[in-house]
Amino acid sequence: MKIERPRGTRDFTPEEMQKRNFIRNKIEEVYGKFNYLEIAIPTFEHIELFSLKSGNDIRESMYVFRDKGDRELCLRPEATASVCRMFANDMRTAQKPLKFYYYAPMFRYERPQKGRYREFWQSGIELIGPKNCESDAEVIAAAYTALKNLNLEFELEIGHLGVLRGLLNDLGISGEKQDELLNAVDKKDVTRLENLVEHGVIFDVLELKGTKEGSKEILGKAENLLNDYPDAILALSELKEILLMLDIMGVDYVIDLGVARGLEYYTGVVFEMRVQSLGAQCQIAGGGRYDKLIGLFDGPPTPAVGFAFGFDRVMDAIEVQNIKIPENEVDFVIAVVDHSVRKNALKIASKLREKFIVDFDLMNRKIGKVIEYANSINAKFVIVIGPREIAENKVSVRDMKTKEQKTVKISEIENLLTK
Ligand code: HAM
């Protein structure tokens, strides 16, 4: 019986995993430079963790099921809520700041297409404890530096939900209507937006967008528009301070006051990263400040900020931008020409494996075929072991790059690579 993979899931070959792990390590190398440490969270959670405040889109796309104890559970659609739960339940007295990173598959029941899967990986960080502009800037800089470390070209868009929420509060629009409105902003659904509000100032603010070079002008315009709305002005000055810090840290960005994010828990700075050439699914990262989520899970009110890369989209961007990833390399392939020396060959392989990557020919092929195989796995040397060589404590070695063949003493094989 042939069984297909579930829709929206993928298998990864060793070659793909090698590339994915290389990129994952490069990203985590940067997290490490900022001293973030890895955590792990469960694959499934109680549904309430996400139904409380994660936003309609996520809730509707969750994989929900009942276990044998009739508990309603779901596969995690994202990690931020789990990290808040972990902190609220078990780490509330820990020394702050808490600086976490994770790499894990997430599950969302969405219509699969290029760059959109039902099982996809996120690589992200969460910074719990401090509430200041340095922390916001640090998290954004970590995301930015991680992508720079991959030589990727991308756009970073920064907004501030405090500006939008502040303006809406000052206009007397709050609660669910505010969430609904921000959802329409996130979807860029102008018709829905126009049906929800009439205040022209909202539309003017949402249009404010421009590069770092034009930031003074954009922020000036925002200030003029928001002059009568004190909550919004306060948030705007915070955004200014964050941008100033990013300037110092050498981060390039676009200001976009229309960044609203699909999740409802954000309270302050928000940002998204895009690689336009990816087409419809070009958003490769999203994040921001969420100061009220931990409190929602009965934790002591604790501010936090973080982001997540859509790791699969980062991989797509690497491919689209033709960024080279070093191939897997094998040091030695060992082949025997006669069964009588197989044990000698095994012994040589074991010794070499103390230092090198050694592939032993398990298919008992003719030497010509072993060389073809060695070529296909990117091997540096093929060691051919025969009775005559063994009698002299030697082996025959083929350099796969130069195609030269020579006889080498067994004790000197490792000099081929350590010299
Ligand atoms: P999010 O924007 O929902 O934010 O997801 C983060 C990233 O995951 C997106 O920018 C996108 O690249 C990727 N992504 C989302 N859905 C899919 C999918 N179906 N297939 C492939 N990639 C996808 C969050 O999840 C927040 N927890 C981020 C965060 C962390 N905020 C604060 N801390």
Side-chain angles (χ1 to χ4, degrees):
M1 185 169 77
K2 186 183 176 204
I3 298 172
E4 301 288 350
R5 274 192 320 257
R7 239 163 89 74
T9 64
R10 286 153 301 155
D11 299 310
F12 296 102
T13 62
E15 291 75 23
E16 287 168 321
M17 283 311 292
Q18 199 261 331
K19 288 185 182 162
R20 288 171 74 89
N21 286 337
F22 179 84
I23 296 298
R24 174 187 174 183
N25 288 339
K26 284 279 232 192
I27 291 175
E28 292 179 1
E29 195 178 285
V30 173
Y31 297 163
K33 292 266 165 65
F34 285 82
N35 196 29
Y36 285 75
L37 299 176
E38 187 171 10
I39 53 160
I41 48 168
T43 307
F44 53 90
E45 294 273 9
H46 291 291
I47 191 163
E48 293 79 11
L49 188 70
F50 303 100
S51 58
L52 275 176
K53 193 71 191 164
S54 287
N56 211 24
D57 293 353
I58 290 235
R59 283 196 296 273
E60 282 187 357
S61 66
M62 284 198 305
Y63 274 87
V64 181
F65 58 98
R66 284 192 182 274
D67 70 2
K68 290 180 181 170
D70 209 29
R71 282 169 284 257
E72 203 173 19
L73 302 170
C74 65
L75 298 181
R76 60 173 177 229
E78 59 117 27
T80 310
S82 302
V83 175
C84 290
R85 174 197 45 67
M86 173 178 168
F87 171 79
N89 293 358
D90 304 315
M91 304 189 77
R92 47 176 78 198
T93 56
Q95 175 85 350
K96 289 182 204 56
L98 290 151
K99 299 168 68 166
F100 299 145
Y101 78 77
Y102 51 83
Y103 172 84
M106 306 297 159
F107 307 86
R108 296 186 193 176
Y109 194 84
E110 296 182 297
R111 205 165 55 80
Q113 52 186 287
K114 175 96 187 121
R116 182 180 286 268
Y117 308 99
R118 289 184 174 171
E119 181 187 33
F120 62 98
W121 273 255
Q122 280 188 350
S123 160
I125 73 177
E126 311 291 350
L127 166 56
I128 299 174
K131 179 177 169 58
N132 51 43
C133 299
E134 292 93 297
S135 306
D136 293 335
E138 174 169 304
V139 166
I140 297 172
Y144 180 91
T145 314
L147 292 190
K148 283 281 168 198
N149 200 32
L150 301 176
N151 293 323
L152 263 186
E153 277 174 32
F154 60 93
E155 214 170 71
L156 163 63
E157 292 169 0
I158 305 179
H160 199 298
L161 272 188
V163 175
L164 294 180
R165 286 197 187 275
L167 174 61
L168 296 174
N169 284 341
D170 290 335
L171 287 169
I173 303 168
S174 57
E176 256 173 49
K177 180 141 188 222
Q178 213 176 82
D179 290 342
E180 208 183 327
L181 227 140
L182 290 174
N183 185 272
V185 173
D186 179 52
K187 295 270 152 36
K188 313 243 175 292
D189 188 341
V190 182
T191 324
R192 185 146 63 102
L193 207 59
E194 279 170 352
N195 286 335
L196 285 165
V197 275
E198 286 164 356
H199 308 276
V201 58
I202 295 180
F203 293 91
D204 293 342
V205 170
L206 290 177
E207 271 180 12
L208 292 175
K209 183 170 175 172
T211 57
K212 176 172 170 169
E213 290 68 37
S215 59
K216 256 207 176 111
E217 195 190 323
I218 299 282
L219 294 168
K221 274 189 192 164
E223 229 163 58
N224 286 341
L225 281 169
L226 297 168
N227 233 339
D228 296 335
Y229 309 98
D231 288 357
I233 281 288
L234 204 69
L236 189 69
S237 63
E238 198 180 286
L239 177 62
K240 266 195 210 164
E241 184 75 9
I242 296 165
L243 297 178
L244 202 71
M245 288 174 178
L246 290 174
D247 290 343
I248 294 168
M249 294 166 110
V251 173
D252 201 9
Y253 53 80
V254 168
I255 303 174
D256 184 352
L257 288 176
V259 176
R261 309 279 300 122
L263 293 144
E264 278 168 19
Y265 49 62
Y266 295 107
T267 53
V269 75
V270 278
F271 65 101
E272 292 179 347
M273 296 166 115
R274 271 173 231 288
V275 171
Q276 293 298 349
S277 52
L278 289 182
Q281 309 306 324
C282 65
Q283 192 192 306
I284 62 169
R289 175 163 283 285
Y290 50 96
D291 287 343
K292 303 212 171 109
L293 196 54
I294 291 170
L296 205 67
F297 302 137
D298 273 354
T302 311
V305 53
F307 75 87
F309 286 121
F311 187 76
D312 308 278
R313 294 185 189 172
V314 172
M315 291 308 298
D316 288 344
I318 294 278
E319 202 182 314
V320 166
Q321 295 186 12
N322 224 345
I323 293 169
K324 291 277 163 278
I325 297 176
E327 280 178 40
N328 191 38
E329 284 191 339
V330 174
D331 296 319
F332 298 107
V333 172
I334 295 189
V336 288
V337 290
D338 189 286
H339 206 77
S340 63
V341 290
R342 240 177 139 64
K343 287 181 183 144
N344 305 72
L346 282 176
K347 197 167 169 197
I348 293 171
S350 293
K351 182 80 188 124
L352 285 175
R353 281 193 182 119
E354 287 172 12
K355 283 195 188 159
F356 303 105
I357 301 171
V358 180
D359 193 317
F360 194 90
D361 173 40
L362 297 169
M363 303 294 286
N364 292 321
R365 283 175 285 214
K366 294 251 182 306
I367 298 307
K369 290 281 173 206
V370 174
I371 289 172
E372 260 176 47
Y373 169 71
N375 224 349
S376 75
I377 62 168
N378 221 5
K380 293 176 191 153
F381 294 97
V382 174
I383 298 180
V384 182
I385 300 177
R388 208 158 7 107
E389 287 89 348
I390 287 293
E392 294 173 13
N393 252 333
K394 289 182 175 163
V395 294
S396 172
V397 175
R398 180 187 173 91
D399 185 324
M400 291 300 292
K401 209 190 254 155
T402 62
K403 299 196 171 69
E404 274 170 6
Q405 202 137 332
K406 59 180 173 183
T407 311
V408 173
K409 274 195 191 156
I410 292 175
S411 59
E412 288 174 5
I413 299 175
E414 57 180 73
N415 296 347
L416 290 166
L417 278 169
T418 43
K419 255 186 217 159

Short mmCIF file of all heavy atoms in Angstrom, two decimals, residues 140 143-144 147-148 152-158 209-212 251-256 259 271-278 282-286 309 317 321:
data_model
loop_
_atom_site.label_atom_id
_atom_site.label_comp_id
_atom_site.label_asym_id
_atom_site.label_seq_id
_atom_site.Cartn_x
_atom_site.Cartn_y
_atom_site.Cartn_z
N ILE A 140 16.00 43.43 17.48
CA ILE A 140 15.95 43.74 16.04
C ILE A 140 17.35 43.57 15.43
O ILE A 140 17.51 42.98 14.35
CB ILE A 140 15.41 45.17 15.79
CG1 ILE A 140 13.96 45.27 16.30
CG2 ILE A 140 15.49 45.53 14.31
CD1 ILE A 140 13.36 46.67 16.28
N ALA A 143 18.22 39.91 14.82
CA ALA A 143 17.58 39.38 13.61
C ALA A 143 18.31 39.88 12.37
O ALA A 143 18.61 39.12 11.44
CB ALA A 143 16.11 39.80 13.57
N TYR A 144 18.61 41.15 12.38
CA TYR A 144 19.28 41.79 11.23
C TYR A 144 20.66 41.19 11.01
O TYR A 144 21.03 40.79 9.90
CB TYR A 144 19.38 43.29 11.53
CG TYR A 144 20.04 44.12 10.46
CD1 TYR A 144 19.27 44.70 9.44
CD2 TYR A 144 21.41 44.37 10.47
CE1 TYR A 144 19.86 45.49 8.47
CE2 TYR A 144 22.00 45.15 9.50
CZ TYR A 144 21.23 45.71 8.51
OH TYR A 144 21.83 46.50 7.54
N LEU A 147 20.71 37.61 9.50
CA LEU A 147 20.52 37.54 8.04
C LEU A 147 21.74 38.08 7.31
O LEU A 147 22.11 37.59 6.25
CB LEU A 147 19.26 38.28 7.61
CG LEU A 147 17.93 37.67 8.05
CD1 LEU A 147 16.77 38.36 7.34
CD2 LEU A 147 17.87 36.17 7.76
N LYS A 148 22.37 39.11 7.87
CA LYS A 148 23.60 39.64 7.25
C LYS A 148 24.69 38.57 7.26
O LYS A 148 25.47 38.46 6.33
CB LYS A 148 24.09 40.89 8.01
CG LYS A 148 23.28 42.12 7.70
CD LYS A 148 23.71 42.72 6.37
CE LYS A 148 22.74 43.79 5.89
NZ LYS A 148 22.85 44.11 4.48
N LEU A 152 22.45 37.55 3.04
CA LEU A 152 21.15 37.73 2.38
C LEU A 152 20.84 39.20 2.16
O LEU A 152 21.23 40.06 2.94
CB LEU A 152 20.05 37.15 3.27
CG LEU A 152 19.56 35.75 3.01
CD1 LEU A 152 18.38 35.44 3.90
CD2 LEU A 152 19.15 35.59 1.55
N GLU A 153 20.11 39.45 1.07
CA GLU A 153 19.58 40.80 0.87
C GLU A 153 18.12 40.78 1.26
O GLU A 153 17.38 39.89 0.83
CB GLU A 153 19.73 41.21 -0.58
CG GLU A 153 21.13 41.73 -0.84
CD GLU A 153 21.37 42.02 -2.29
OE1 GLU A 153 20.42 42.39 -2.99
OE2 GLU A 153 22.52 41.82 -2.71
N PHE A 154 17.71 41.75 2.06
CA PHE A 154 16.35 41.73 2.60
C PHE A 154 15.96 43.13 3.02
O PHE A 154 16.80 44.05 3.02
CB PHE A 154 16.29 40.80 3.83
CG PHE A 154 17.22 41.23 4.93
CD1 PHE A 154 16.79 42.06 5.96
CD2 PHE A 154 18.56 40.85 4.93
CE1 PHE A 154 17.65 42.49 6.96
CE2 PHE A 154 19.44 41.27 5.93
CZ PHE A 154 18.98 42.08 6.94
N GLU A 155 14.69 43.30 3.35
CA GLU A 155 14.21 44.60 3.82
C GLU A 155 13.67 44.42 5.24
O GLU A 155 12.99 43.44 5.53
CB GLU A 155 13.06 45.02 2.92
CG GLU A 155 12.99 46.50 2.71
CD GLU A 155 11.99 46.83 1.61
OE1 GLU A 155 10.78 46.66 1.86
OE2 GLU A 155 12.43 47.22 0.52
N LEU A 156 14.01 45.36 6.12
CA LEU A 156 13.51 45.32 7.49
C LEU A 156 12.53 46.48 7.68
O LEU A 156 12.91 47.64 7.48
CB LEU A 156 14.69 45.46 8.46
CG LEU A 156 14.41 45.85 9.90
CD1 LEU A 156 13.57 44.79 10.62
CD2 LEU A 156 15.73 46.06 10.66
N GLU A 157 11.29 46.17 8.00
CA GLU A 157 10.28 47.22 8.19
C GLU A 157 9.91 47.31 9.66
O GLU A 157 9.58 46.31 10.28
CB GLU A 157 9.02 46.88 7.39
CG GLU A 157 9.26 46.97 5.90
CD GLU A 157 8.12 46.39 5.09
OE1 GLU A 157 7.13 45.92 5.67
OE2 GLU A 157 8.25 46.40 3.86
N ILE A 158 9.98 48.54 10.17
CA ILE A 158 9.70 48.71 11.60
C ILE A 158 8.52 49.66 11.83
O ILE A 158 8.45 50.73 11.20
CB ILE A 158 10.96 49.28 12.32
CG1 ILE A 158 12.16 48.38 12.05
CG2 ILE A 158 10.71 49.39 13.82
CD1 ILE A 158 13.44 48.86 12.69
N LYS A 209 5.52 55.82 5.42
CA LYS A 209 6.51 54.78 5.15
C LYS A 209 7.70 55.42 4.45
O LYS A 209 7.52 56.27 3.58
CB LYS A 209 5.87 53.70 4.26
CG LYS A 209 6.79 52.55 3.98
CD LYS A 209 6.07 51.39 3.30
CE LYS A 209 7.12 50.33 2.97
NZ LYS A 209 6.59 49.09 2.48
N GLY A 210 8.89 55.03 4.84
CA GLY A 210 10.06 55.58 4.16
C GLY A 210 11.35 55.00 4.69
O GLY A 210 11.37 54.36 5.75
N THR A 211 12.42 55.21 3.93
CA THR A 211 13.70 54.61 4.29
C THR A 211 14.34 55.35 5.47
O THR A 211 13.92 56.44 5.85
CB THR A 211 14.68 54.69 3.11
OG1 THR A 211 14.81 56.06 2.76
CG2 THR A 211 14.18 53.88 1.93
N LYS A 212 15.42 54.75 5.98
CA LYS A 212 16.17 55.32 7.09
C LYS A 212 16.61 56.76 6.78
O LYS A 212 16.51 57.65 7.62
CB LYS A 212 17.38 54.42 7.29
CG LYS A 212 18.38 54.82 8.31
CD LYS A 212 19.36 53.68 8.45
CE LYS A 212 20.56 54.05 9.26
NZ LYS A 212 21.38 52.87 9.60
N VAL A 251 22.22 49.24 11.78
CA VAL A 251 21.11 48.49 11.19
C VAL A 251 20.36 49.37 10.20
O VAL A 251 20.02 50.52 10.49
CB VAL A 251 20.14 48.02 12.32
CG1 VAL A 251 18.88 47.39 11.74
CG2 VAL A 251 20.86 47.04 13.24
N ASP A 252 20.12 48.81 9.02
CA ASP A 252 19.40 49.55 7.98
C ASP A 252 17.92 49.13 8.03
O ASP A 252 17.62 47.95 8.19
CB ASP A 252 20.00 49.17 6.62
CG ASP A 252 19.69 50.22 5.59
OD1 ASP A 252 19.16 51.29 5.96
OD2 ASP A 252 19.94 49.95 4.40
N TYR A 253 17.01 50.09 7.85
CA TYR A 253 15.58 49.76 8.01
C TYR A 253 14.71 50.68 7.19
O TYR A 253 15.16 51.68 6.64
CB TYR A 253 15.18 49.87 9.49
CG TYR A 253 15.54 51.20 10.10
CD1 TYR A 253 14.73 52.31 9.89
CD2 TYR A 253 16.72 51.36 10.84
CE1 TYR A 253 15.08 53.55 10.42
CE2 TYR A 253 17.07 52.59 11.37
CZ TYR A 253 16.25 53.68 11.15
OH TYR A 253 16.59 54.91 11.65
N VAL A 254 13.43 50.29 7.13
CA VAL A 254 12.41 51.14 6.55
C VAL A 254 11.40 51.38 7.67
O VAL A 254 11.03 50.42 8.37
CB VAL A 254 11.72 50.39 5.37
CG1 VAL A 254 10.48 51.11 4.92
CG2 VAL A 254 12.69 50.20 4.21
N ILE A 255 10.98 52.63 7.85
CA ILE A 255 9.93 52.88 8.85
C ILE A 255 8.60 52.63 8.16
O ILE A 255 8.39 53.11 7.04
CB ILE A 255 9.94 54.34 9.33
CG1 ILE A 255 11.31 54.71 9.90
CG2 ILE A 255 8.84 54.58 10.37
CD1 ILE A 255 11.41 56.18 10.24
N ASP A 256 7.71 51.90 8.81
CA ASP A 256 6.39 51.68 8.22
C ASP A 256 5.36 51.61 9.36
O ASP A 256 5.26 50.61 10.07
CB ASP A 256 6.40 50.36 7.42
CG ASP A 256 5.06 50.15 6.71
OD1 ASP A 256 4.11 50.92 6.97
OD2 ASP A 256 4.98 49.20 5.90
N VAL A 259 2.81 48.61 9.80
CA VAL A 259 3.09 47.22 10.22
C VAL A 259 2.22 46.93 11.45
O VAL A 259 2.36 47.57 12.48
CB VAL A 259 4.59 47.02 10.60
CG1 VAL A 259 4.83 45.60 11.12
CG2 VAL A 259 5.49 47.31 9.41
N PHE A 271 8.10 44.52 13.99
CA PHE A 271 8.91 44.55 12.76
C PHE A 271 8.72 43.30 11.93
O PHE A 271 8.33 42.25 12.45
CB PHE A 271 10.39 44.79 13.09
CG PHE A 271 11.05 43.70 13.88
CD1 PHE A 271 11.87 42.76 13.24
CD2 PHE A 271 10.89 43.59 15.25
CE1 PHE A 271 12.50 41.74 13.95
CE2 PHE A 271 11.50 42.58 15.97
CZ PHE A 271 12.32 41.66 15.33
N GLU A 272 8.97 43.46 10.64
CA GLU A 272 8.88 42.34 9.70
C GLU A 272 10.05 42.42 8.75
O GLU A 272 10.54 43.51 8.46
CB GLU A 272 7.55 42.42 8.92
CG GLU A 272 6.36 42.17 9.83
CD GLU A 272 5.00 42.24 9.17
OE1 GLU A 272 4.90 42.73 8.02
OE2 GLU A 272 4.03 41.83 9.82
N MET A 273 10.49 41.26 8.29
CA MET A 273 11.59 41.24 7.33
C MET A 273 11.08 40.58 6.06
O MET A 273 10.34 39.59 6.13
CB MET A 273 12.77 40.48 7.91
CG MET A 273 13.31 41.21 9.13
SD MET A 273 14.41 40.20 10.07
CE MET A 273 15.91 41.12 9.84
N ARG A 274 11.48 41.13 4.94
CA ARG A 274 10.97 40.62 3.66
C ARG A 274 12.07 40.41 2.65
O ARG A 274 13.06 41.15 2.65
CB ARG A 274 10.04 41.69 3.04
CG ARG A 274 8.63 41.55 3.47
CD ARG A 274 7.79 42.72 2.98
NE ARG A 274 7.07 43.27 4.11
CZ ARG A 274 6.04 42.66 4.67
NH1 ARG A 274 5.61 41.52 4.19
NH2 ARG A 274 5.44 43.18 5.72
N VAL A 275 11.87 39.40 1.81
CA VAL A 275 12.71 39.22 0.62
C VAL A 275 11.72 39.23 -0.54
O VAL A 275 11.02 38.25 -0.78
CB VAL A 275 13.49 37.89 0.69
CG1 VAL A 275 14.19 37.61 -0.63
CG2 VAL A 275 14.49 37.93 1.84
N GLN A 276 11.64 40.38 -1.22
CA GLN A 276 10.58 40.58 -2.22
C GLN A 276 10.57 39.51 -3.30
O GLN A 276 9.51 39.09 -3.76
CB GLN A 276 10.73 41.97 -2.88
CG GLN A 276 10.47 43.13 -1.92
CD GLN A 276 9.04 43.16 -1.35
OE1 GLN A 276 8.16 42.44 -1.80
NE2 GLN A 276 8.84 43.98 -0.31
N SER A 277 11.77 39.02 -3.67
CA SER A 277 11.83 38.07 -4.79
C SER A 277 11.17 36.73 -4.46
O SER A 277 11.00 35.89 -5.34
CB SER A 277 13.28 37.85 -5.22
OG SER A 277 14.05 37.53 -4.09
N LEU A 278 10.76 36.53 -3.22
CA LEU A 278 10.07 35.28 -2.88
C LEU A 278 8.60 35.29 -3.29
O LEU A 278 7.91 34.29 -3.18
CB LEU A 278 10.17 35.00 -1.38
CG LEU A 278 11.54 34.60 -0.86
CD1 LEU A 278 11.49 34.30 0.64
CD2 LEU A 278 12.08 33.38 -1.59
N CYS A 282 6.67 36.42 1.00
CA CYS A 282 7.99 37.05 1.06
C CYS A 282 8.39 37.45 2.49
O CYS A 282 9.51 37.87 2.74
CB CYS A 282 8.06 38.24 0.13
SG CYS A 282 6.95 39.55 0.62
N GLN A 283 7.46 37.33 3.44
CA GLN A 283 7.80 37.72 4.81
C GLN A 283 8.59 36.60 5.48
O GLN A 283 8.07 35.52 5.73
CB GLN A 283 6.51 37.99 5.60
CG GLN A 283 6.81 38.68 6.92
CD GLN A 283 5.60 38.70 7.82
OE1 GLN A 283 4.54 39.15 7.42
NE2 GLN A 283 5.74 38.18 9.02
N ILE A 284 9.87 36.88 5.75
CA ILE A 284 10.70 35.79 6.28
C ILE A 284 10.87 35.89 7.80
O ILE A 284 11.43 34.98 8.40
CB ILE A 284 12.09 35.72 5.59
CG1 ILE A 284 12.90 36.99 5.80
CG2 ILE A 284 11.93 35.44 4.11
CD1 ILE A 284 14.34 36.81 5.37
N ALA A 285 10.41 36.98 8.40
CA ALA A 285 10.49 37.08 9.86
C ALA A 285 9.47 38.09 10.37
O ALA A 285 9.06 38.99 9.63
CB ALA A 285 11.88 37.50 10.30
N GLY A 286 9.08 37.90 11.62
CA GLY A 286 8.18 38.87 12.24
C GLY A 286 8.41 38.85 13.73
O GLY A 286 8.79 37.82 14.30
N PHE A 309 12.10 33.80 12.76
CA PHE A 309 12.30 33.63 11.32
C PHE A 309 11.43 32.48 10.87
O PHE A 309 11.33 31.46 11.57
CB PHE A 309 13.74 33.21 11.01
CG PHE A 309 14.75 34.30 11.15
CD1 PHE A 309 15.81 34.16 12.03
CD2 PHE A 309 14.66 35.45 10.38
CE1 PHE A 309 16.76 35.17 12.16
CE2 PHE A 309 15.60 36.45 10.51
CZ PHE A 309 16.65 36.31 11.39
N ALA A 317 15.03 31.90 0.35
CA ALA A 317 15.73 33.13 -0.02
C ALA A 317 17.19 32.84 -0.36
O ALA A 317 17.74 33.41 -1.30
CB ALA A 317 15.63 34.15 1.13
N GLN A 321 18.63 33.73 -4.01
CA GLN A 321 19.75 34.68 -4.14
C GLN A 321 21.06 33.96 -4.44
O GLN A 321 22.13 34.57 -4.38
CB GLN A 321 19.84 35.54 -2.88
CG GLN A 321 18.61 36.42 -2.72
CD GLN A 321 18.69 37.40 -1.57
OE1 GLN A 321 19.74 37.62 -0.97
NE2 GLN A 321 17.56 38.01 -1.26
#
